[in-house]
Amino acid sequence: TSWTLGTTAGANTMQASAAGLSGSPVGFNVTGTAGPATTIASNATLPASATAGSTVSPAPSVRVTDANGNPVAGVNVGFAVTAGGGSVGSGSVATAADGTASTSWTLGATVGNNTLSASAAGLAGSPVGFNVTGTAGSPASVTVISQPASVASGVAFAATTEVRDAGNNLVAGASVSAALSGAGASLSGGPATTGADGRATLNLTLTGSVTGGPYAITYTAGSASSPATAVTLTAGPAATIAASATPPASATAGSTVSPAPAVRVTDASGNPVAGVNVGFAVTAGGGSVGSASVATAADGTASTSWTLGTTAGANTMQASAAGLSGSPVDFNVTGTAGPATTIAAHPPAPPASAGVGTNVTPIVRVTDVNGNPVAGVTVTFTVTAGGGSVGSGTVVTGADGTASTSWTLGALPGSNTLEASATGLGGSPVLFAVTGT
């Protein structure tokens, strides 16, 4: 009889039997083999995306079969990159016993679409296409796109970086952080994440001493870092005002004090701030200032001359700057009498006439050029006519600038005169005259 083998390659057996006969049944064995190759199809599921420049896993694979779906060995399959610029391990691979053929596939180094075809001439399904999107790899470089060369202490600034992988592809989604080198300041702010353009903008604040450093900032993404980028720190906004030079506790009334009052304006970190207008105003004592408004110098200081009022006593002046802690700054100086310049009779004056031998009291007052009383000046009282006498011939002026003594008139009626003198003073000697009656 005719015998048609099964469609699946492999062992086929058939028996011929006749009842009661020796040798029955008779067995027949035929191995079914694959027929001519007719079809090629994908035999592997590749990832939708992989790192650009990497070798795809699993590798692209196809299976060649006959009309009955049996694997066909020994069929040459050509593998070729059709987009993306990558490469294959072998351009031509013969199918194995299981009908499969495979090769390694390394994606192109540039981010984007990668395609590969597996083809066998004359087979249905040829060519078989494989598609993988190449994505950026891990950060390999960080470039500083923009960073200010100079920033103010405590004031936020922006810095922009760009991150690329080993294939120079822009890396999205990478976290970029910043670190400061140089003692005397601290850096706050960040991190930031790169966008599709590979760039991240960090909002940072550098706070500290303008005399510290030198300062530099390094930006890091993963294991990649930028070169250190230098930055100069300048003073931040003015925050505080305080005295930097204090006049003496006391000075001669009407004089210009030395040292002059001075203040220093600083930022929150204690750095001097230039260009801040400081107002100076006398608040007691009646004196005057050289300049009512002075801008701080590079060292943060502002100063003006201060002439005390001519009257001995308390003098105060204020230095102020709007909005600053410590404002206003008060300066206090006690104006004291200057050198004695004048002596004069001080009321109540002795009477024009008095009984002979009676006591009267002459009083003088010593003052400086501004009329302030001067203590400690020696005044000499001397009877010059009438024969009387004084209780004390020399008397030192007291705090009110006065000196007095008792004067006993002479025993005979007539003119009595007395002089009060102080060496070098205008008005000296002062003459007192009393008629003894």
Side-chain angles (χ1 to χ4, degrees), residues 101-123:
S102 178
T103 188
S104 62
W105 179 21
T106 301
L107 301 183
T110 302
V111 167
N113 190 43
N114 289 257
T115 61
L116 176 142
S117 69
S119 59
L123 301 190

Side-chain angles (χ1 to χ4, degrees), residues 30 43 71 82 140 195 254 287 303 342 384:
V30 176
N43 191 50
T82 53
S303 178
T342 305
T384 54

Side-chain angles (χ1 to χ4, degrees), residues 12 21 51 74 206 319 368:
N12 289 259
L21 299 188
T51 302
L206 184 59
D368 65 8

Side-chain angles (χ1 to χ4, degrees), residues 7 32 46 69 88 101 126 128 169 194 212-213 287 294 296 300 331 344-345 360 388 420:
T7 58
L46 274 58
V88 294
S126 178
V128 177
N169 298 298
T194 56
V294 180
T296 54
F331 296 94
V360 296

Side-chain angles (χ1 to χ4, degrees), residues 188-290:
S188 60
T193 302
T194 56
D197 60 356
R199 295 190 176 189
T201 297
L202 293 82
N203 292 313
L204 304 173
T205 302
L206 184 59
T207 304
S209 170
V210 299
T211 59
Y215 302 117
I217 301 175
T218 300
Y219 300 88
T220 300
S223 60
S225 296
S226 72
T229 305
V231 60
T232 299
L233 187 62
T234 61
T240 303
I241 186 172
S244 63
T246 304
S250 62
T252 302
S255 67
T256 300
V257 297
S258 180
V263 292
R264 185 170 183 261
V265 174
T266 56
D267 65 10
S269 296
N271 299 304
V273 182
V276 177
N277 288 324
V278 177
F280 292 94
V282 172
T283 53
S288 62
V289 294

